[in-house]
Amino acid sequence: MTTEPGLRESKKQETRQLISDCATRLFLEQGFEQTTIAEIATAARVAKKTVTNYFPRKEDLALDHHERFTDGLALAVTGRAPGESPLTALERSIRTALADHSPVVGFTGPQFARMVADSPTLGARLRELHDLREDALASALADGVPDSAPAGAPRTAAALMAAADRLLFRRIQELTLAGRTDDEIEATLAPEADHVLASLTAALGDHPVAARP
């Protein structure tokens, strides 16, 4: 039988999703900056305090899956196959995300991409999330780092890996705003990704953190 705590948790998730869906619809219709928390609460038929309880920051209503985004690079490294280097795992993760047209690497669709591009607030928040993504990767790389590695080695490797990831993200957003379909973006990005990842490998090929098994 379903327990009462389970029912409460299910209800919370339903309410959270309802608020998120209503917010996304209003943001796309009106723009992020122009939409108020009060309007979102009215659309979701909840109190304003309920909205802010679930989403303390207005930006989190638009970038609802930010935890998945900030943890993505770190999880690619910590979940790598036995004997696989962090660099190889990251490259594989990026290529898979491109093939899957994953929102995590920038495949957000033209409406969403335009909404973010038109909002200084969301632009600033997205840059912050990229920084947090890099920080999480640096922490993951620091786990099990060789004793002989310089103290700043995890941070150096993370900065270069995250820069490559951020470059591809921005390129996908740029092509999305230019009206390209996801398939066209993937085809365009394939050789560009090859170049970026080859440059990353050249920079980190013998790095004591990124290249270790």
Side-chain angles (χ1 to χ4, degrees), residues 5-94:
L7 287 172
R8 286 198 299 269
E9 185 60 31
S10 178
K11 180 60 176 176
K12 285 181 180 179
Q13 289 301 319
E14 290 176 3
T15 301
R16 189 183 195 281
Q17 189 61 53
L18 173 62
I19 294 170
S20 176
D21 291 345
C22 290
T24 299
R25 176 176 58 80
L26 290 172
F27 291 153
L28 294 177
E29 290 175 355
Q30 304 177 172
F32 177 82
E33 306 291 349
Q34 292 75 23
T35 301
T36 67
I37 296 296
E39 289 174 318
I40 294 168
T42 298
R45 297 184 179 181
V46 297
K48 284 177 60 177
K49 184 172 179 57
T50 301
V51 175
T52 56
N53 281 342
Y54 282 97
F55 300 93
R57 298 175 62 157
K58 183 182 171 184
E59 300 94 303
D60 293 341
L61 283 157
L63 305 172
D64 189 15
H65 300 288
H66 57 277
E67 294 95 345
R68 180 184 169 202
F69 179 80
T70 55
D71 292 343
L73 299 181
L75 290 175
V77 168
T78 57
R80 67 187 186 277
E84 186 176 38
S85 72
L87 178 57
T88 300
L90 181 72
E91 291 180 352
R92 176 170 51 78
S93 175
I94 289 175

Side-chain angles (χ1 to χ4, degrees), residues 113-124:
R114 174 53 58 193
M115 178 188 72
V116 174
D118 288 346
S119 168
T121 303
L122 288 180

